[in-house]
Amino acid sequence: MNRNAWSRLLCLLALIVVAPAAPALDAAAVRQLAADDYEAMVAAVNRLAAEGDVAAIPLLKALQDGVLGVVDDRVVVVLDGAVSDALTGAAVGVASEQVEAVMVNNRVRSAVDTALAALRLAAPARDTRLAAAAELAASADEEMLPLLTQALERERDPAVRALLTLARASLDIKNPDAAARRAAAVALGESDRPATRQLLLALLETQPGGGFVEPDAAVRAAAQKSLAEVDSRLMIPRLLGNLFSGLSLGSVLLLAALGLAITFGLMGIINMAHGELIMIGAYTTFVVQNLFRVHLPGVFDSYVLAAIPAAFLVSALVGVALERGVIRHLYGRPLETLLATWGISLILIQLTRTIFGAQNVEVVNPAWLSGGMAIGGDVVLPFNRMAIIAFAALVVLAVWALLNRTRLGLNVRAVTQNRTMADCLGVPTPRVDWMTFGLGSGIAGLGGVALSQIGNVGPDLGQSYIVDSFMVVVLGGVGQLAGTVIAAIGLGEVNKLLEPHTGAVLGKILVLVFIILFIQKRPQGLFALKGRSAEG
């Protein structure tokens, strides 16, 4: 019974305020709240809610908070050690240790939630009534029907009335009267909630032995029409949701593949450890998060801003060490490079398991990245996904500016197009190699920061994206920034548009088949690399 002090004080004040009106509550229903039978408890909760007396709110809140008990066949409330009668609010001269707590199950909790929502329909505040109506629209009980009818009769706000109508229709759909069921089916056609589809589809189901579950043809016709209206209303939000999901997936793929496109395009190195560079960026974010939690708790929500440069720097340093220590000795030997980087990826995975453990670690979204924006139906656009899309766009712009507006970018483009000629003209190709490899590795670390905000962070994180990253690079064209962007966004959109119809696995297979066929016709990808070496 250890509860927040403010919650206890408010509940106690509520009991005191409504004490004069408390005797109006159904005494038998109050006693039944402490019954051993959960169904009897649910019936008592519904009876108190059906009376519509706001005096029942603190009593039901006490049951919800676990401070309702029974002693000597008397239902009491225990707050801060003080025991009071649940019906009258009068003090009871017994110790709190003598009180036997009333146990509830999920069925009772659900009934209490619904009853409290129903009682709040009488609140003067419009937002309170709107929230209560939304709860009832999602989980109204049949015994709440009279209360819903009363609330509809006195309610004048259109938004609240719409939700109450939906709640009553969801109950009337099971009415023995065919006319009531038909009216309910028509009313449900005004809804934009996906749960409404299930209610309407239930009227159109067929029985195992033949025939419809709903015997009345007029009710079925109304349900069919309403179902079409609901589907039409949900189509646009769901399409927008799928497009947003595709853009979000494409942004993740872009961050994962952008660094690989740079290194692969410059040196022709098949770096199988690229995924582990992404993983290092994600774990760097985890470390920065913990440092902020311990040393800077007041600005914890800013840890992501500090994790971005940290992840870039750590992944870039690992990439430079990889290029200087291993890859530079294997130029011109692609098979050996592939095997060496694959071995390094296994070493990095095991090293991560040794340091952080084999289990996934938790990276918490800051408050400003939590939640989302509802656009209709059950479609919500998460803020963290929006942030990743914007972040990917900023990274692409920064990489474009680096490659096209700096001396390093000029050298990178020169070496990419013709390494021998660039070397003859004085371009320091070894330095360009390690700096570019460090840049690509740092961008992979940025991808890890983004991935840490939308999924689990574990030692195998990078393995999930290495194949997709190579597909993006090959499809877009080796060394082509524009091709990488278009390929990543295109693959993300195609995947998400196919998933509702084919499933995730079959959708990926179809995408892979398309890429194979496309590469057969156009080996250079969407955009061919320009330069003498490419043309030759």
Side-chain angles (χ1 to χ4, degrees):
M1 297 187 205
N2 185 17
R3 300 289 174 183
N4 182 277
W6 279 106
S7 177
R8 292 170 174 170
L9 180 59
L10 290 174
C11 193
L12 181 59
L13 289 174
L15 285 170
I16 294 173
V17 169
V18 301
L25 293 177
D26 188 335
V30 174
R31 286 193 298 272
Q32 197 172 333
L33 287 177
D36 293 332
D37 183 4
Y38 288 134
E39 290 302 320
M41 293 175 68
V42 170
V45 170
N46 290 337
R47 195 187 314 166
L48 289 171
E51 291 177 358
D53 192 341
V54 293
I57 292 179
L59 179 62
L60 294 176
K61 192 72 172 62
L63 178 62
Q64 185 183 56
D65 292 342
V67 296
L68 197 69
V70 61
V71 59
D72 298 330
D73 295 327
R74 190 176 187 181
V75 182
V76 296
V77 177
V78 181
L79 289 173
D80 291 329
V83 183
S84 59
D85 189 281
L87 186 61
T88 65
V92 179
V94 297
S96 59
E97 292 77 10
Q98 298 176 257
V99 178
E100 181 184 354
V102 174
M103 306 302 294
V104 298
N105 62 0
N106 290 337
R107 175 80 174 88
V108 176
R109 292 188 190 94
S110 177
V112 171
D113 291 342
T114 303
L116 287 172
L119 290 171
R120 292 187 186 109
L121 289 175
R126 185 254 186 190
D127 289 344
T128 302
R129 299 198 311 277
L130 188 64
E135 284 186 43
L136 287 172
S139 60
D141 192 281
E142 290 183 11
E143 297 192 25
M144 296 293 105
L145 190 56
L147 191 61
L148 285 171
T149 303
Q150 295 173 13
L152 265 171
E153 290 174 354
R154 65 172 179 266
E155 185 59 58
R156 294 293 177 267
D157 187 273
V160 180
R161 283 188 61 85
L163 288 171
L164 292 175
T165 301
L166 175 61
R168 188 172 68 175
S170 66
L171 298 177
D172 278 339
I173 207 73
K174 303 173 185 177
N175 197 303
D177 183 13
R181 296 198 303 275
R182 183 179 181 279
V186 172
L188 289 174
E190 301 297 324
S191 170
D192 63 349
R193 294 170 174 261
T196 305
R197 297 189 74 257
Q198 304 305 318
L199 295 172
L200 294 170
L201 286 171
L203 297 176
L204 302 174
E205 290 180 354
T206 56
Q207 296 176 341
F212 290 95
V213 173
E214 171 53 56
D216 192 282
V219 176
R220 294 199 303 272
Q224 188 70 56
K225 182 179 178 182
S226 293
L227 182 62
E229 293 174 357
V230 172
D231 284 340
S232 175
R233 201 171 290 113
L234 292 175
M235 182 178 64
I236 298 300
R238 285 181 173 174
L239 178 60
L240 292 176
N242 286 335
L243 291 175
F244 175 83
S245 296
L247 183 59
S248 172
L249 176 59
S251 299
V252 170
L253 292 177
L254 178 58
L255 288 171
L258 192 57
L260 186 64
I262 294 173
T263 56
F264 190 28
L266 174 63
M267 291 170 280
I269 298 298
I270 302 177
N271 180 18
M272 296 302 294
H274 183 78
E276 280 55 58
L277 296 170
I278 297 173
M279 178 262 293
I280 288 172
Y283 271 98
T284 303
T285 306
F286 169 70
V287 172
V288 172
Q289 168 200 256
N290 289 345
L291 290 175
F292 267 69
R293 179 176 286 143
V294 174
H295 301 290
L296 298 169
V299 290
F300 176 77
D301 285 342
S302 302
Y303 83 86
V304 174
L305 302 180
I308 291 173
F312 180 89
L313 182 61
V314 172
S315 295
L317 290 175
V318 173
V320 170
L322 175 61
E323 196 277 335
R324 290 286 85 188
V326 178
I327 292 178
R328 74 186 181 99
H329 301 294
L330 300 175
Y331 286 145
R333 290 180 282 177
L335 181 59
E336 293 179 27
T337 306
L338 186 150
L339 293 175
T341 54
W342 180 58
I344 290 171
S345 74
L346 297 179
I347 293 172
L348 291 175
I349 290 173
Q350 189 57 46
L351 184 62
T352 303
R353 288 196 179 111
T354 303
I355 298 174
F356 297 99
Q359 300 299 319
N360 293 339
V361 297
E362 181 184 13
V363 177
V364 180
N365 285 139
W368 53 279
L369 286 182
S370 302
M373 181 179 67
I375 61 172
D378 60 345
V379 179
V380 177
L381 308 184
F383 291 139
N384 56 355
R385 295 274 182 176
M386 293 183 187
I388 288 174
I389 293 172
F391 181 58
L394 290 175
V395 171
V396 170
L397 288 175
V399 171
W400 178 86
L402 180 67
L403 293 178
N404 292 275
R405 294 291 185 268
T406 66
R407 185 173 184 81
L408 173 62
L410 180 63
N411 290 339
V412 168
R413 286 181 285 127
V415 174
T416 301
Q417 292 179 9
N418 195 317
R419 173 180 291 271
T420 304
M421 182 61 70
D423 195 28
C424 292
L425 293 175
V427 175
T429 53
R431 187 173 68 183
V432 171
D433 286 343
W434 70 257
M435 291 182 68
T436 307
F437 204 92
L439 172 64
S441 301
I443 294 172
L446 297 181
V449 177
L451 289 173
S452 71
Q453 301 300 306
I454 60 173
N456 295 324
V457 175
D460 298 324
L461 172 65
Q463 297 293 305
S464 304
Y465 291 93
I466 185 64
V467 175
D468 288 337
S469 298
F470 274 109
M471 284 199 302
V472 169
V473 172
V474 172
L475 179 62
V478 176
Q480 294 297 308
L481 181 60
T484 303
V485 173
I486 294 173
I489 301 301
L491 288 179
E493 292 290 358
V494 171
N495 266 302
K496 289 301 179 181
L497 291 176
L498 285 177
E499 275 185 16
H501 308 287
T502 63
V505 176
L506 183 57
K508 277 189 172 294
I509 293 174
L510 292 176
V511 170
L512 180 59
V513 170
F514 165 76
I515 292 176
I516 292 173
L517 295 176
F518 181 85
I519 296 302
Q520 293 296 315
K521 297 292 292 182
R522 190 176 173 85
Q524 69 270 33
L526 291 173
F527 294 87
L529 186 66
K530 294 181 180 180
R532 291 189 177 181
S533 63
E535 293 166 358

